Amino acid sequence: MTDILMPALSPTMEEGKLAKWLVKEGDTVKPGDVIAEIETDKATMEVEAVDEGVISKLMVEAGTEGVKVNAIIAQLSAEGEAPKPKSNGKAKTAKVDAPAQAVAETAAPEQKAKNDGHRLRAPEQKVAAAEGLHDPTLPEGVTYKKTAVRDALRDAIAEEMRRDERVFLMGEEVGQYQGAYKVSRGLLEEFGDRRVIDTPITEYGFAGLGVGAAFGGLKPIVEFMTFNFAMQAIDHIINSAAKTLYMSGGQMGCPIVFRGPNGAASRVGAQHSQDYSAWYGHVPGLKVLAPYDAADAKGLLKAAIRDPNPVVFLEHELMYGVEFDVPEVEDFVLPIGKARIRREGTDVTLVAHSRMVKFALDAAEELAGMGIEAEVIDLRSLRPLDTETVIESVKKTNRIVCCEEGWRFFGVGAEIAAAVVEHAFDYLDAPPLRVAQKDVPLPYAANLERLSLPNAQDIVEAAKKVCYRETE
Amino acid sequence: MTGKTGGARVRKPVSEPQKAELIGFYRDMLLIRRFEEKAGQLYGMGLIAGFCHLYIGQEAVVVGVQAILEPDDQVITGYRDHGHMLAAGMTSRGVMAELTGREGGYARGKGGSMHMFSREKNFFGGHGIVGAQVPLGTGLAFSNKYKGTDAVCIAYFGDGASNQGQVYEAFNMASLWKLPVVYVIENNQYAMGTSIARASAETELFKRGISFEIPGEEVDGMDVLAVRKAAAKAVKRARDGDGPYILEMKTYRYRGHSMSDPAKYRTREEVQDVREHRDPIEMLKKKLLDAKHVTEDDLKKIEAEVREIVNDSAQFAQDSPEPHPDELWTDVLVESRA
């Protein structure tokens, strides 16, 4: 008897919908036969049988939502083998007998090479927006709608495209494929292929083309499937987009947004897991945004698209599926360059951006249990950097821990620590500490990856240290 | 941008150049040459610094191509760009003052020799990264198609840039999307100090578009009339919506790659031979005299007029003050309207 398990179809998938069975109990299957269809928030995929045998039992009904990866979905018996009684089908998790093979239905080969093939679950999912995280600047009585980050981004793009004919989206798989991470879902249908443009895999080329189009009076949104691939295009982002206004004595604006997921996804190895916050944050002539929740993703992306300057907009793959409250406000645009205090506290300041905000908030919860009230600042914008909010906070707490997913050398935390030392030296009761990725390329092995990436516990330890508490 | 959405405007047909136009070509080429000679002189005097790439010898290329462009067509090039700017109608004062890094320069002294722009003349630079102008120019062409104008972008680059990968990324998209762009390869035979034979597996650069279904042809880049004729065909094709075209202009630069290059990689005789037998200005001068379009006196008058313009620009470039120290902090970002 062999268990057929719910397969992970992407590096970050945790669960999915078993949409349809293509076999019934008693059917004989051979390796390669398609036995089921699975839907995730990104795509519909086919599940193939790996072993030969008879489907003895379908354990999950067609149409079931939220089937966990590695849950047993069916049992297969060898020809002639008696079906096991039902009670034996206890759930297995880590030890996989025969994971069903998942094949992308529509993925182009190059797409598969980039995204599929590395499968395992995201370490966390679905964080409900906690009370008190709502933007304090919004009017009383505003209503909110639960929205995943990817849909908030999509809504921002769609709204701006409706508003301004010059705005268009280009990148790999943004159109027919509906986005490698489904951020551009539905945009091709609404705006057509004149404004939602599938490019060849040619980052340097289409980044340059986008900059040229911006010189020509358009407002391109250039999607990189991930910012790791933008390394090939960084010459145009910096030399062509960021510097030309200055070099032209103010004649040549470049209103363009470069966006896509940044930082570590999950188990995709060193070349697909780099945080570029510090890289772009270094460059005058750019604006660099890195939102955490869905509301900021929407409000800041709309601001980025309207901005007359080149904006690097760093998203996070592991946040795309996370739902938050997004205010139901007509034309929700946020100011660029303003940090947001996510939690008020008096004992230590935790500064973070993008997904690290979640860890900082978790750490703050844990610290509260020890009697340490942490203030959590979500930077949101790295350039311009709202050092004023950070410094004001440090003047109150006298301690700071800078958290980032990237490497610490010459990093965002280094910049903030320097600013705090320069402008609030006399207020500090402890040296600023940094929590960051270990100074190694990101490893693949699950345990090593965990050791390499910063987490909430690291922040707790650092916060205790600056508060001179006993650390582990 | 003057192009209107929807439907091509009536363009003037390209006919055989008449006397006045021919004399204009002569004058424009001479202006570039005298301007560049003056720039070299000012460089020697320490008034121009940094990199300075002179266009001497290649004048027929830009003058011949620009002759058939319309005001709303765009031009983009690399760092050997002084000639392109003059041919695009930018003032010699503004260009020379940028070379000296003064307030009166096209970028108020903040760009220098390799980085000048004119929105007014649709000149989009002046780019210092070899080959970068090719995707950028392709993007300008993209904007034309997106907006529904019939403007064409000319992207100039050299034989050196033609070995850059991004050139082919741009070729692919330009052909795939039928973008109105003409790629003008100014093959001056040397990528800095490396001859084309030492750097290119395929030295016939007009063939470089074959894999992308982009037709190309070789043109005598020393003959302004041959250049004009080839450009007319390529630009018409792009304007008509038939996509990109490659013109390989066989040309030659008399000076080193930049001012600091003594050009030891070629013989003095090689340069002298081109100067004597293929010089674009001398060849046109002969044509003008043979056809009796001009007299020696007319030519002297043109020469004097050109020298006057160049001397005036050199004087302006020295008199114009350095940019105000406050300029250090301006133009980093466009200030958002509140």
Side-chain angles (χ1 to χ4, degrees), chain B residues 33-34 36-37 53-60 80 188-190 221-222 251-258 261-268 270-283:
Chain B
R33 178 153 309 176
R34 297 290 175 256
E36 293 290 64
E37 286 165 355
H53 310 87
L54 301 182
Y55 198 62
I56 296 173
Q58 299 180 216
E59 297 91 346
R80 195 177 303 285
N188 66 19
Q189 324 294 330
Y190 294 93
M222 304 304 266
T251 182
Y252 200 81
R253 74 169 145 74
Y254 296 172
R255 298 293 186 96
H257 164 72
S258 65
D261 170 21
K264 297 277 199 228
Y265 40 81
R266 59 188 185 188
T267 61
R268 192 177 289 273
E270 178 183 307
V271 183
Q272 204 47 42
D273 183 62
V274 180
R275 273 184 182 279
E276 277 170 20
H277 300 109
R278 293 180 59 214
D279 184 81
I281 297 175
E282 288 304 317
M283 289 201 302

Side-chain angles (χ1 to χ4, degrees), chain A residues 399-414:
Chain A
R399 296 166 167 88
I400 184 166
V401 174
C402 310
C403 318
E404 68 188 298
E405 200 183 282
W407 295 305
R408 93 180 52 210
F409 261 62
F410 313 102
V412 177

Side-chain angles (χ1 to χ4, degrees), chain B residues 193-205:
Chain B
T194 305
S195 71
I196 181 147
R198 292 177 57 223
S200 298
E202 171 55 84
T203 57
E204 297 192 309
L205 302 178

Side-chain angles (χ1 to χ4, degrees), chain A residues 193-417:
Chain A
D193 61 8
R194 173 171 164 266
R195 299 182 68 196
V196 179
I197 299 149
D198 282 322
T199 65
I201 298 178
T202 185
E203 282 85 5
Y204 196 6
F206 70 69
L209 192 148
V211 172
F215 289 163
L218 302 182
K219 305 199 75 175
I221 303 168
V222 172
E223 174 174 312
F224 293 112
M225 195 180 284
T226 91
F227 264 94
N228 298 284
F229 310 153
M231 287 273 264
Q232 306 221 31
I234 202 165
D235 171 45
H236 278 301
I237 299 173
I238 293 169
N239 273 319
S240 304
K243 295 181 183 171
T244 302
L245 181 73
Y246 196 83
M247 295 194 304
S248 66
Q251 283 190 69
M252 301 273 298
C254 185
I256 189 169
V257 176
F258 299 102
R259 52 153 291 271
N262 171 61
S266 188
R267 303 290 307 281
V268 294
Q271 289 184 338
H272 284 61
S273 309
Q274 193 169 329
D275 177 5
Y276 291 89
S277 303
W279 289 59
Y280 294 110
H282 190 61
V283 183
L286 290 179
K287 291 189 179 181
V288 183
L289 306 178
Y292 162 62
D293 70 10
D296 284 356
K298 182 176 182 186
L300 288 173
L301 183 54
K302 281 168 68 77
I305 295 166
R306 287 183 198 187
D307 201 278
N309 296 290
V311 181
V312 170
F313 196 89
L314 303 170
E315 300 159 12
H316 203 296
E317 187 191 334
L318 298 178
M319 297 302 295
Y320 278 150
V322 182
E323 291 186 344
F324 292 91
D325 284 352
V326 173
E328 295 187 284
V329 178
E330 173 96 15
D331 207 19
F332 178 63
V333 186
L334 287 168
I336 289 175
K338 292 265 182 281
R340 181 159 147 197
I341 297 172
R342 290 266 174 190
R343 176 192 172 112
E344 292 195 342
T346 49
D347 301 331
V348 59
T349 300
L350 307 178
V351 176
H353 64 279
S354 190
R355 182 164 173 258
M356 287 302 287
V357 172
K358 164 70 178 154
F359 295 144
L361 289 168
D362 288 350
E365 275 303 304
E366 197 177 329
L367 289 164
M370 304 171 197
I372 297 172
E373 287 304 323
E375 179 145 297
V376 177
I377 296 177
D378 175 358
L379 291 172
R380 305 201 287 190
S381 169
L382 302 172
R383 181 179 269 274
L385 185 64
D386 185 359
T387 43
E388 197 185 328
T389 295
V390 177
I391 286 160
E392 284 312 304
S393 175
V394 169
K395 285 182 177 174
K396 182 172 68 172
T397 65
N398 313 114
R399 296 166 167 88
I400 184 166
V401 174
C402 310
C403 318
E404 68 188 298
E405 200 183 282
W407 295 305
R408 93 180 52 210
F409 261 62
F410 313 102
V412 177
E415 179 58 35
I416 290 169

Side-chain angles (χ1 to χ4, degrees), chain A residues 15-66:
Chain A
E15 58 180 39
K17 176 183 177 184
L18 204 158
K20 195 169 164 189
W21 281 110
L22 299 167
V23 292
K24 56 186 188 304
E25 289 177 5
D27 282 358
T28 302
V29 295
K30 293 192 303 300
D33 287 352
V34 177
I35 59 172
E37 279 180 16
I38 291 173
E39 281 173 27
T40 69
D41 51 357
K42 293 182 195 166
T44 300
M45 320 279 270
E46 292 178 342
V47 181
E48 289 179 1
V50 175
D51 295 315
E52 189 160 345
V54 177
I55 299 285
S56 53
K57 182 78 193 159
L58 299 180
M59 312 288 288
V60 175
E61 266 183 61
T64 306
E65 305 251 12

Side-chain angles (χ1 to χ4, degrees), chain B residues 31 35 38 42 48 82 85-86 89-109 116 306 308-320:
Chain B
L31 174 65
F35 181 94
K38 181 62 82 178
L42 296 186
I48 298 173
H82 312 160
M85 293 186 279
L86 296 176
M90 291 165 68
T91 68
S92 51
R93 278 186 166 199
V95 178
M96 198 68 96
E98 188 61 36
L99 296 181
T100 54
R102 304 301 174 94
E103 191 184 82
Y106 266 99
R108 297 208 299 284
M116 280 182 249
V306 161
E308 173 57 31
I309 294 169
V310 168
N311 289 337
D312 167 74
S313 73
Q315 196 57 49
F316 177 80
Q318 292 170 71
D319 294 346
S320 178

Side-chain angles (χ1 to χ4, degrees), chain A residues 165 202 204-205 216 236 309, chain B residues 108 146-147 166 169 328 334:
Chain A
E165 166 76 15
T202 185
Y204 196 6
H236 278 301
N309 296 290
Chain B
R108 297 208 299 284
Y146 187 96
K147 289 186 277 195
Q166 61 175 319
E169 297 191 29
L328 178 64
V334 178

